[in-house]
């Protein structure tokens, strides 16, 4: 058969600078994996690219182990079962797998999740109905505790996390202010997603624009960015504001603003104290057991009713995954970043 080979993208080297580059990845052709007893052979259909992968490229202590040099980059995918020695799966089943940046994988059947697709594209389970969607929902609900009439601000607002945070906030009666890079993304927030205001973080007067967009201050700041955006947010936080700290894109992209020499810690801690702020970091899976079902119920219903929109930014070909990943870190994506691995 012509398809006896598989491809994979491995971590070739760890980034020597804050910015990752194409040299840190290598595309390899390998033999087709052979499943052993109790395993299934899957073909990866769609791979999800997510910001956390940048953290895994470093050899530093974190909530998850670093990727290993010479091994496939980690990642979640939607896949099709090709062969199965497990009674639980048959060829043709669509499954959600943690198989990394690979075209094929032999995986233990135990722990594989069959997708009941229910009228949605399978890829939605990598975005709005998957890990990023759950991150948005759980961070907002559990830590953000949104209340009608309040003001919420979220960065990376056109991405799968930020876009859902803002739309859920609107459904709950909050004023939603989105931060995004560039006019096109800001227009999308206003015209398509119904945000009340959208501010381009690249504007030289960004902090002033944000202040004008939040005349009553900020009650929930869903932190996706850090750095200059955080500095602009701190003075606007209201008494008892809640800050779910979800991610720090400015650090992952390796493009911190020029004034990093200035120490904002004192200002931040003073705001925490004097305004009784609640700042709470989280990794989505700490909430899975308790809240995942509630999330799927609420968000799938809103999607079905057309009350929530989501966009996918699809790159074709696994060999193009490294460039698509670097583009996402630089904000050149528009929506959930996916790689179509097989046609
Ligand atoms: P996105 O698809 O939104 O991609 C990241 C976006 O970050 C880019 O498109 C860019 O958008 C923005 N960005 C990058 N650098 C900067 C910068 N210096 N300043 C401002 N914006 C920047 O990603 P996701 O929706 O998948 O993830 C959003 C956030 O959620 C990330 O911080 C991620 O780490 C976090 N996350 C956390 C999880 C958790 O469990 N805690 C789980 C999943 C995600 P733009 O062009 O608009 O600037």
């Amino acid at each position: 058969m012509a398809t006896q080979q598989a491809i994979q993208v491995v971590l070739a080297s760890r980034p020597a600078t804050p910015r990752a580059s194409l040299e840190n990845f290598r595309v390899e052709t390998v033999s087709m994996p052979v499943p052993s007893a109790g395993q299934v052979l899957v073909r990866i259909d769609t791979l999800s690219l997510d910001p956390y992968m940048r953290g895994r490229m470093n050899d530093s202590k974190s909530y998850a182990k670093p990727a290993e040099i010479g091994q496939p980059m980690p990642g979640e995918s939607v896949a099709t079962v090709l062969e199965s020695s497990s009674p639980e799966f048959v060829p043709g089943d669509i499954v959600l797998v943690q198989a990394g940046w690979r075209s094929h994988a032999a995986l233990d059947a135990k722990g594989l999740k069959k997708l009941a697709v229910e009228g949605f594209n399978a890829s939605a389970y990598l975005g709005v109905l998957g890990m990023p969607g759950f991150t948005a929902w759980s961070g907002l609900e559990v830590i953000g505790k949104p209340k009608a009439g309040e003001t919420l601000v979220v960065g990376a607002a056109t991405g799968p996390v930020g876009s859902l945070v803002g739309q859920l906030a609107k459904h709950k009666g909050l004023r939603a202010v989105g931060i995004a890079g560039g006019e096109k993304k800001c227009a999308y927030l206003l015209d398509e997603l119904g945000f009340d205001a959208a501010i381009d973080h690249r504007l030289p007067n960004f902090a002033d624009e944000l202040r004008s967009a939040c005349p009553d201050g900020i009650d929930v700041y869903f932190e996706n960015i850090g750095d200059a955006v955080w500095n602009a947010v701190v003075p606007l936080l209201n008494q008892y504001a809640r800050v779910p700290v979800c991610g720090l894109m400015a650090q992952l992209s390796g493009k911190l603003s020029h004034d990093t020499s200035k120490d904002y810690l004192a200002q931040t801690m003073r705001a925490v104290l004097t305004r009784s702020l609640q700042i709470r970091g989280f990794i989505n899976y700490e909430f899975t057991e308790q809240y995942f079902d509630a999330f799927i119920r609420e968000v799938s219903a809103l999607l079905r009713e057309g009350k929530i929109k989501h966009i996918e930014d699809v790159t074709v070909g696994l060999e193009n995954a490294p460039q698509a990943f670097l583009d996402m870190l630089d904000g050149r994506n528009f929506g959930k970043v996916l790689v179509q691995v097989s046609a």
Side-chain angles (χ1 to χ4, degrees):
M1 265 200 305
T3 54
Q4 286 312 296
Q5 291 192 310
I7 67 165
Q8 59 186 25
V9 180
V10 303
L11 179 64
S13 59
R14 301 200 188 280
T17 62
R19 281 172 74 66
S21 67
L22 281 180
E23 292 81 67
N24 300 131
F25 303 92
R26 188 171 59 244
V27 181
E28 294 179 341
T29 301
V30 293
S31 323
M32 182 65 70
V34 179
S36 49
Q39 287 197 321
V40 296
L41 176 68
V42 298
R43 179 195 69 210
I44 306 298
D45 300 324
T46 308
L47 167 69
S48 174
L49 295 182
D50 296 277
Y52 75 83
M53 295 163 175
R54 174 63 189 86
R56 303 278 176 90
M57 295 172 77
N58 295 341
D59 186 13
S60 51
K61 194 161 182 267
S62 186
Y63 60 90
K65 278 195 199 145
E68 285 179 36
I69 301 216
Q71 293 299 314
M73 285 288 293
E76 188 173 41
S77 308
V78 168
T80 301
V81 173
L82 297 181
E83 291 173 27
S84 170
S85 61
S86 156
E88 287 171 57
F89 297 95
V90 294
D93 280 347
I94 307 291
V95 285
L96 204 55
V97 298
Q98 292 286 348
W101 297 21
R102 294 196 281 177
S103 66
H104 295 80
L107 302 165
D108 289 341
K110 226 165 98 179
L112 281 194
K113 197 171 161 191
K114 211 182 288 190
L115 275 185
V117 175
E118 292 170 19
F120 300 111
N121 284 341
S123 58
Y125 290 88
L126 297 171
V128 65
L129 293 178
M131 184 279 282
F134 182 58
T135 299
W137 186 96
S138 59
L140 181 63
E141 283 299 313
V142 185
I143 304 171
K145 298 187 171 60
K147 292 179 200 71
E150 291 187 331
T151 297
L152 169 137
V153 173
V154 61
T158 59
V161 175
S163 65
L164 187 57
V165 167
Q167 291 181 88
L168 288 172
K170 282 304 296 172
H171 282 289
K172 290 169 200 296
L174 284 82
R175 174 176 168 77
V177 177
I179 297 169
E183 273 178 34
K184 193 175 155 206
K185 288 186 176 181
C186 287
Y188 177 76
L189 293 175
L190 296 173
D191 302 340
E192 297 293 329
L193 301 189
F195 279 58
D196 297 286
I199 317 292
D200 183 351
H201 62 82
R202 298 178 195 155
L203 292 174
N205 62 341
F206 164 69
D208 295 333
E209 293 282 331
L210 185 65
R211 181 182 292 279
S212 307
C214 304
D216 300 323
I218 300 173
D219 302 294
V220 183
Y221 172 56
F222 196 103
E223 172 67 297
N224 280 336
I225 309 294
D227 195 43
V229 172
W230 172 246
N231 296 336
V233 162
V234 171
L236 307 179
L237 291 168
N238 287 334
Q239 188 86 14
Y240 303 122
R242 285 84 64 201
V243 181
V245 180
C246 174
L248 298 167
M249 277 315 300
Q251 293 184 22
L252 293 180
S253 68
K255 281 195 296 191
L256 290 166
S257 62
H258 295 295
D259 52 5
T260 47
S261 56
K262 195 166 169 190
D263 176 12
Y264 290 94
L265 186 62
Q267 188 185 344
T268 300
M269 295 315 285
R270 183 161 174 74
V272 171
L273 178 66
T274 58
R275 279 174 256 159
S276 308
L277 307 183
Q278 289 190 37
I279 300 180
R280 155 88 145 88
F282 73 104
I283 304 298
N284 63 86
Y285 49 68
E286 70 177 280
F287 301 127
T288 303
E289 203 178 318
Q290 200 176 351
Y291 294 109
F292 197 82
D293 291 348
F295 151 70
I296 283 287
R297 262 198 313 277
E298 181 177 337
V299 176
S300 61
L302 288 168
L303 264 182
R304 217 171 258 121
E305 293 162 22
K307 291 183 176 163
I308 279 190
K309 295 185 184 171
H310 69 114
I311 35 173
E312 297 178 340
D313 183 334
V314 183
T315 292
V316 177
L318 184 58
E319 65 283 4
N320 297 318
Q323 187 60 58
F325 176 67
L326 297 175
D327 285 348
M328 172 182 62
L329 296 180
D330 279 343
R332 284 195 288 271
N333 62 311
F334 203 129
K336 172 72 198 108
V337 182
L338 300 171
V339 178
Q340 190 184 319
V341 179
S342 78

